[in-house]
Amino acid sequence: MLKIIHGADFHLDAPFAALPPEQAAQRRAEQRQLLDRLADLAVERRADLVLLSGDLLDSGETYYETAQALSRALGRIPALVFIAPGNHDFYQARSLYAGKLWPDNVHIFTSVAVESVELPGLGCVVHGAAFTTPRADRSPLLGFRAPADGKIHVMVLHGDVDNAGRYGPLSREDIAASGLTYLALGHVHTCSGLQKAGETWWAYPGCPQGRGFDELGDKGVLAVTVDGGQVSGEFVPLAGRRYGVLPVDLTGAASPEEAVRAALPGGTERDVYRVVLTGQREEAPDLAALEEGLKARFYHVELRDESRPRRDLWARAGEDNLTGLFLRQLREQWEGAADGQERALLEQAARFGLAALENGEDPCL
Ligand SMILES: [Mn+2]
């Protein structure tokens, strides 16, 4: 039986440009902590191999602290670690991968051509290849075929299944023809779960931690077990923070505050959330006040207002009368309003004005 921990796309030292500088630095420090969690997991699970399928680093620029963390965390893994550089961290003479920090148990693939490492003690051969430029439009599996010699053949690779693009294009036919037992892939940031092409199992673990609102929910690595011809995989969350998007429908709610409060999930103190207001609202939300009230419940929260006034305030703007003239002028200001607060004020003015013009007594239309 062979136990593998398969991770990819750590993107260490990502800039986190959307966050303020101190939070961005904190996020990078947290990325380094992922390496410790990876090492802990390898110890706990008694892994035989740790496979890291590229984009371990976000770019060719690496902080000193990150190099130290890599050396320390990977060095205490009681198993062999194989790294296949990807398009973000492609191998070159000046890259961190060519440096001296790497512990003895770490093997880095350095060429576009597939290299094979025999591990007789494990009855296994680990194959792998590297990006050596930011682009690679040739399938790394082209012409590769693992021999049917009774050994377990695994490959660690950065590549793009089903996409004929420039990030190591891989077709399912290539995978099926590879003769591999397991193909450990990186590049796609969502976990694929275990997939099968021909007799070859393959998977993307996804990134171990979200970096933005396009990388939502739980993130982690795969714990893969190869037992004879049988391969099983378990997704293990590694992320300390999750990104979440929470839509809040204001339709029929007494107030935006109440609608948001009712929709909030628990246990989000470590998470980064975007709360999106939707539906038809009675009153315009005060986004600044809402955000202030939510701050303590999240690591970071931002609000988006995509709700619409319940009644189309401007429905009569086209009329050739005083009401039409009034609404046209207000709407012009509303469209040029600097922020939500100013828009809210103008919507209120429109409601009061309409009520007066329509001889209503109640301005809350
Ligand atoms: Mn990539």
Side-chain angles (χ1 to χ4, degrees), residues 72-128:
R72 194 185 56 238
L74 300 187
R76 71 180 175 85
I77 292 178
L80 293 169
V81 179
F82 290 87
I83 298 174
N87 56 298
H88 275 262
D89 57 353
F90 59 92
Y91 184 86
Q92 51 157 337
R94 288 187 299 112
S95 75
L96 195 68
Y97 292 134
K100 299 206 184 309
L101 68 104
W102 304 95
D104 289 344
N105 63 320
V106 176
H107 181 97
I108 298 165
F109 292 103
T110 59
S111 66
V112 171
V114 173
E115 183 199 340
S116 305
V117 181
E118 292 265 356
L119 303 172
L122 294 173
C124 160
V125 185
V126 179
H127 309 269

Coordinates of all heavy atoms in Angstrom, one line a residue, residues 72-128:
R72 N 12.3 24.4 6.4 CA 12.0 23.8 7.7 C 10.8 22.8 7.6 O 10.9 21.7 8.1 CB 11.6 24.9 8.6 CG 11.6 24.6 10.1 CD 11.1 25.7 10.9 NE 9.8 26.2 10.5 CZ 9.5 27.4 10.1 NH1 10.4 28.3 10.0 NH2 8.2 27.7 9.7
A73 N 9.7 23.2 6.9 CA 8.5 22.4 6.9 C 8.7 21.1 6.1 O 8.4 20.0 6.5 CB 7.3 23.2 6.4
L74 N 9.3 21.3 4.9 CA 9.5 20.1 4.0 C 10.5 19.2 4.6 O 10.4 17.9 4.5 CB 9.9 20.5 2.6 CG 8.8 21.4 1.9 CD1 9.3 21.6 0.4 CD2 7.4 20.8 1.9
G75 N 11.5 19.8 5.3 CA 12.6 19.0 5.9 C 12.1 18.1 7.0 O 12.8 17.1 7.3
R76 N 11.0 18.4 7.7 CA 10.6 17.5 8.8 C 9.5 16.5 8.3 O 8.9 15.8 9.1 CB 10.1 18.4 10.0 CG 8.8 19.1 9.8 CD 8.5 19.9 11.1 NE 7.3 20.7 10.9 CZ 6.0 20.3 11.1 NH1 5.8 19.0 11.4 NH2 5.0 21.1 10.9
I77 N 9.3 16.5 7.0 CA 8.4 15.5 6.5 C 9.1 14.1 6.4 O 10.2 14.1 5.7 CB 7.8 15.9 5.1 CG1 6.9 17.1 5.3 CG2 7.1 14.7 4.4 CD1 6.3 17.6 4.0
P78 N 8.7 13.1 7.1 CA 9.4 11.8 7.1 C 9.1 11.0 5.8 O 8.7 9.8 5.9 CB 8.9 11.1 8.4 CG 7.5 11.7 8.6 CD 7.5 13.1 8.0
A79 N 9.1 11.6 4.7 CA 8.8 11.0 3.4 C 9.5 11.8 2.3 O 10.0 12.9 2.5 CB 7.3 10.9 3.2
L80 N 9.6 11.2 1.1 CA 10.1 11.9 0.0 C 9.1 12.9 -0.5 O 7.9 12.6 -0.6 CB 10.5 10.9 -1.1 CG 11.7 10.0 -0.8 CD1 11.8 8.9 -1.8 CD2 13.0 10.8 -0.6
V81 N 9.6 14.1 -0.9 CA 8.8 15.1 -1.4 C 9.2 15.4 -2.9 O 10.4 15.6 -3.1 CB 8.9 16.4 -0.6 CG1 8.0 17.6 -1.2 CG2 8.6 16.2 0.9
F82 N 8.2 15.4 -3.8 CA 8.5 15.6 -5.2 C 7.8 16.9 -5.7 O 6.6 17.0 -5.4 CB 8.1 14.5 -6.1 CG 9.0 13.2 -5.9 CD1 8.7 12.3 -4.9 CD2 10.1 13.0 -6.7 CE1 9.5 11.2 -4.7 CE2 10.9 11.9 -6.5 CZ 10.6 11.0 -5.5
I83 N 8.6 17.8 -6.3 CA 8.0 19.0 -6.8 C 8.1 19.1 -8.3 O 9.2 19.0 -8.8 CB 8.7 20.2 -6.1 CG1 8.5 20.2 -4.6 CG2 8.2 21.6 -6.7 CD1 9.3 21.3 -3.8
A84 N 7.0 19.5 -8.9 CA 7.0 19.7 -10.4 C 6.7 21.1 -10.7 O 5.5 21.5 -10.6 CB 6.0 18.8 -11.1
P85 N 7.7 22.0 -10.9 CA 7.4 23.4 -11.1 C 6.4 23.7 -12.2 O 6.3 23.0 -13.2 CB 8.8 24.0 -11.5 CG 9.8 23.0 -10.9 CD 9.1 21.7 -11.0
G86 N 5.5 24.7 -11.9 CA 4.4 25.1 -12.8 C 4.7 26.3 -13.6 O 5.8 26.8 -13.7
N87 N 3.6 26.9 -14.1 CA 3.8 28.1 -15.0 C 4.2 29.4 -14.1 O 4.8 30.3 -14.6 CB 2.6 28.4 -15.8 CG 1.3 28.5 -15.1 OD1 0.9 27.5 -14.4 ND2 0.7 29.6 -15.1
H88 N 3.7 29.4 -12.9 CA 4.1 30.5 -12.0 C 5.5 30.4 -11.4 O 6.1 31.4 -11.2 CB 3.1 30.7 -10.9 CG 1.8 31.4 -11.2 ND1 1.6 32.7 -10.9 CD2 0.7 31.0 -11.9 CE1 0.5 33.1 -11.4 NE2 -0.1 32.1 -12.0
D89 N 5.9 29.2 -11.2 CA 7.2 29.0 -10.5 C 8.1 28.1 -11.4 O 8.8 27.3 -10.9 CB 7.0 28.4 -9.1 CG 6.2 27.1 -9.2 OD1 5.7 26.7 -10.2 OD2 6.1 26.4 -8.1
F90 N 8.1 28.4 -12.7 CA 8.8 27.6 -13.6 C 10.3 27.5 -13.3 O 10.9 28.5 -12.7 CB 8.7 28.1 -15.1 CG 9.1 29.5 -15.3 CD1 10.4 29.8 -15.7 CD2 8.2 30.6 -15.1 CE1 10.8 31.1 -15.9 CE2 8.6 31.9 -15.3 CZ 9.9 32.2 -15.7
Y91 N 10.9 26.4 -13.6 CA 12.3 26.2 -13.2 C 13.3 27.0 -14.2 O 13.1 26.9 -15.4 CB 12.7 24.7 -13.3 CG 14.1 24.4 -12.8 CD1 14.4 24.3 -11.5 CD2 15.2 24.4 -13.8 CE1 15.7 24.1 -11.1 CE2 16.5 24.3 -13.3 CZ 16.7 24.1 -12.0 OH 18.0 23.9 -11.6
Q92 N 14.2 27.6 -13.5 CA 15.3 28.3 -14.3 C 16.5 28.4 -13.4 O 16.4 28.2 -12.2 CB 14.8 29.7 -14.8 CG 14.2 30.5 -13.7 CD 14.2 32.0 -14.0 OE1 15.0 32.5 -14.8 NE2 13.4 32.7 -13.3
A93 N 17.6 28.8 -14.0 CA 18.9 28.8 -13.3 C 18.8 29.7 -12.1 O 19.4 29.5 -11.0 CB 20.0 29.3 -14.2
R94 N 18.0 30.8 -12.1 CA 18.0 31.8 -11.0 C 16.8 31.5 -10.0 O 16.6 32.3 -9.1 CB 17.9 33.2 -11.6 CG 19.1 33.7 -12.2 CD 19.0 35.2 -12.6 NE 17.9 35.4 -13.6 CZ 16.8 36.1 -13.3 NH1 16.6 36.6 -12.1 NH2 15.9 36.3 -14.2
S95 N 16.0 30.5 -10.3 CA 14.9 30.3 -9.4 C 15.2 29.7 -8.1 O 16.3 29.1 -8.0 CB 13.8 29.4 -10.2 OG 14.2 28.1 -10.2
L96 N 14.3 29.8 -7.2 CA 14.6 29.3 -5.8 C 14.9 27.8 -5.9 O 15.6 27.2 -5.1 CB 13.3 29.5 -5.0 CG 13.4 29.3 -3.5 CD1 14.3 30.4 -2.9 CD2 12.0 29.4 -2.8
Y97 N 14.2 27.1 -6.9 CA 14.4 25.7 -7.0 C 15.9 25.3 -7.3 O 16.3 24.1 -7.1 CB 13.5 25.2 -8.2 CG 12.0 25.2 -7.8 CD1 11.1 25.7 -8.7 CD2 11.6 24.8 -6.5 CE1 9.7 25.8 -8.3 CE2 10.2 24.9 -6.2 CZ 9.3 25.4 -7.1 OH 8.0 25.4 -6.7
A98 N 16.6 26.2 -7.9 CA 18.0 25.9 -8.2 C 18.9 26.2 -7.0 O 20.1 26.0 -7.1 CB 18.5 26.7 -9.4
G99 N 18.3 26.8 -5.9 CA 19.1 27.1 -4.7 C 19.5 26.0 -3.8 O 19.1 24.8 -4.1
K100 N 20.1 26.3 -2.7 CA 20.6 25.3 -1.8 C 19.8 25.0 -0.6 O 20.1 24.2 0.3 CB 22.0 25.7 -1.4 CG 23.0 25.8 -2.5 CD 24.5 25.6 -2.0 CE 25.5 25.8 -3.1 NZ 25.2 25.1 -4.4
L101 N 18.6 25.7 -0.5 CA 17.9 25.6 0.7 C 17.1 24.2 0.9 O 16.7 23.9 2.0 CB 16.8 26.7 0.8 CG 15.7 26.6 -0.3 CD1 14.4 26.1 0.4 CD2 15.4 27.9 -0.9
W102 N 17.0 23.4 -0.2 CA 16.2 22.3 -0.1 C 16.8 21.1 0.7 O 17.9 20.7 0.4 CB 15.8 21.8 -1.6 CG 15.2 23.0 -2.3 CD1 15.9 23.9 -3.1 CD2 13.9 23.4 -2.3 NE1 15.0 24.8 -3.6 CE2 13.8 24.6 -3.1 CE3 12.7 23.0 -1.6 CZ2 12.6 25.3 -3.3 CZ3 11.6 23.7 -1.8 CH2 11.5 24.8 -2.6
P103 N 16.0 20.6 1.6 CA 16.5 19.4 2.3 C 16.6 18.2 1.4 O 16.1 18.1 0.3 CB 15.3 19.2 3.3 CG 14.4 20.3 3.2 CD 14.6 21.0 1.9
D104 N 17.4 17.2 2.0 CA 17.7 16.0 1.2 C 16.5 15.2 0.7 O 16.6 14.4 -0.3 CB 18.6 15.1 2.0 CG 20.0 15.7 2.1 OD1 20.3 16.7 1.3 OD2 20.8 15.3 3.0
N105 N 15.4 15.3 1.4 CA 14.2 14.4 1.1 C 13.4 15.1 0.0 O 12.4 14.5 -0.4 CB 13.4 14.2 2.3 CG 12.8 15.5 2.9 OD1 13.5 16.5 3.0 ND2 11.5 15.4 3.3
V106 N 13.8 16.2 -0.5 CA 13.1 16.9 -1.6 C 13.7 16.7 -2.9 O 14.9 17.0 -3.1 CB 13.0 18.4 -1.2 CG1 12.2 19.2 -2.4 CG2 12.2 18.6 0.1
H107 N 12.9 16.3 -3.9 CA 13.4 16.1 -5.3 C 12.6 17.1 -6.2 O 11.4 17.1 -6.2 CB 13.2 14.7 -5.8 CG 13.7 14.5 -7.2 ND1 14.9 14.0 -7.4 CD2 13.1 14.8 -8.4 CE1 15.1 14.0 -8.8 NE2 14.0 14.4 -9.3
I108 N 13.3 17.9 -6.9 CA 12.7 18.9 -7.8 C 12.9 18.5 -9.2 O 14.1 18.3 -9.6 CB 13.2 20.3 -7.5 CG1 12.9 20.7 -6.0 CG2 12.6 21.3 -8.5 CD1 13.6 21.9 -5.6
F109 N 11.8 18.4 -10.0 CA 12.0 18.1 -11.4 C 12.4 19.4 -12.1 O 11.9 20.4 -11.8 CB 10.7 17.5 -12.0 CG 10.4 16.1 -11.5 CD1 9.4 16.0 -10.5 CD2 11.0 15.0 -11.9 CE1 9.1 14.7 -10.0 CE2 10.8 13.8 -11.4 CZ 9.8 13.6 -10.4
T110 N 13.4 19.3 -13.0 CA 13.9 20.5 -13.6 C 13.8 20.6 -15.1 O 14.3 21.5 -15.7 CB 15.4 20.6 -13.2 OG1 16.1 19.4 -13.7 CG2 15.6 20.7 -11.7
S111 N 13.3 19.5 -15.7 CA 13.3 19.6 -17.2 C 11.9 19.3 -17.8 O 11.0 18.7 -17.1 CB 14.2 18.5 -17.8 OG 13.7 17.2 -17.4
V112 N 11.7 19.8 -19.0 CA 10.4 19.6 -19.7 C 10.2 18.1 -20.0 O 9.1 17.6 -20.0 CB 10.4 20.5 -21.0 CG1 9.2 20.1 -21.8 CG2 10.4 22.0 -20.6
A113 N 11.4 17.5 -20.3 CA 11.3 16.0 -20.6 C 11.0 15.3 -19.3 O 11.5 15.7 -18.2 CB 12.6 15.6 -21.2
V114 N 10.2 14.2 -19.4 CA 9.9 13.5 -18.2 C 11.1 12.8 -17.6 O 11.9 12.1 -18.3 CB 8.8 12.4 -18.5 CG1 8.5 11.5 -17.3 CG2 7.5 13.2 -18.9
E115 N 11.3 13.0 -16.3 CA 12.4 12.3 -15.5 C 11.7 11.3 -14.6 O 10.6 11.5 -14.1 CB 13.1 13.3 -14.7 CG 14.3 12.8 -13.9 CD 14.7 13.8 -12.8 OE1 14.3 14.9 -12.8 OE2 15.4 13.3 -11.9
S116 N 12.4 10.1 -14.4 CA 11.8 9.0 -13.6 C 12.7 8.7 -12.5 O 13.9 8.5 -12.7 CB 11.6 7.8 -14.5 OG 10.8 8.2 -15.6
V117 N 12.1 8.6 -11.3 CA 12.9 8.3 -10.1 C 12.4 6.9 -9.5 O 11.3 6.8 -9.2 CB 12.8 9.4 -9.0 CG1 13.6 9.0 -7.8 CG2 13.2 10.7 -9.6
E118 N 13.3 5.9 -9.5 CA 12.9 4.6 -9.0 C 13.0 4.6 -7.5 O 14.0 5.1 -6.9 CB 14.0 3.6 -9.5 CG 13.9 3.3 -11.0 CD 13.0 2.1 -11.4 OE1 12.5 1.4 -10.5 OE2 12.8 1.9 -12.6
L119 N 12.0 4.1 -6.9 CA 12.0 3.9 -5.4 C 11.7 2.5 -5.0 O 10.6 2.1 -4.7 CB 10.9 4.8 -4.8 CG 11.0 6.3 -5.1 CD1 9.8 7.1 -4.6 CD2 12.3 7.0 -4.5
P120 N 12.8 1.7 -5.1 CA 12.6 0.2 -5.0 C 12.0 -0.2 -3.6 O 11.2 -1.1 -3.6 CB 14.1 -0.3 -5.0 CG 14.9 0.8 -5.6 CD 14.2 2.1 -5.3
G121 N 12.3 0.6 -2.6 CA 11.7 0.3 -1.3 C 10.2 0.4 -1.2 O 9.6 -0.2 -0.4
L122 N 9.7 1.2 -2.1 CA 8.2 1.4 -2.1 C 7.6 0.7 -3.3 O 6.4 0.8 -3.5 CB 7.9 2.9 -2.2 CG 8.3 3.8 -1.0 CD1 8.1 5.3 -1.4 CD2 7.5 3.4 0.2
G123 N 8.3 0.0 -4.1 CA 7.8 -0.6 -5.3 C 7.2 0.3 -6.3 O 6.1 0.1 -6.9
C124 N 7.8 1.5 -6.4 CA 7.1 2.6 -7.0 C 8.1 3.4 -7.9 O 9.3 3.5 -7.5 CB 6.5 3.4 -5.9 SG 6.1 5.1 -6.3
V125 N 7.7 4.0 -8.9 CA 8.5 4.9 -9.7 C 7.7 6.3 -9.8 O 6.5 6.3 -10.1 CB 8.7 4.4 -11.2 CG1 9.6 5.3 -11.9 CG2 9.2 3.0 -11.2
V126 N 8.4 7.3 -9.4 CA 7.8 8.7 -9.5 C 8.3 9.4 -10.7 O 9.6 9.6 -10.9 CB 8.1 9.5 -8.2 CG1 7.4 10.9 -8.4 CG2 7.5 8.8 -7.0
H127 N 7.4 9.7 -11.6 CA 7.8 10.4 -12.8 C 7.4 11.9 -12.7 O 6.5 12.2 -11.9 CB 7.1 9.9 -14.1 CG 7.2 8.4 -14.2 ND1 8.2 7.8 -15.0 CD2 6.5 7.4 -13.7 CE1 8.1 6.5 -14.9 NE2 7.0 6.2 -14.2
G128 N 8.1 12.8 -13.4 CA 7.7 14.2 -13.3 C 8.4 15.0 -14.3 O 9.4 14.6 -14.9

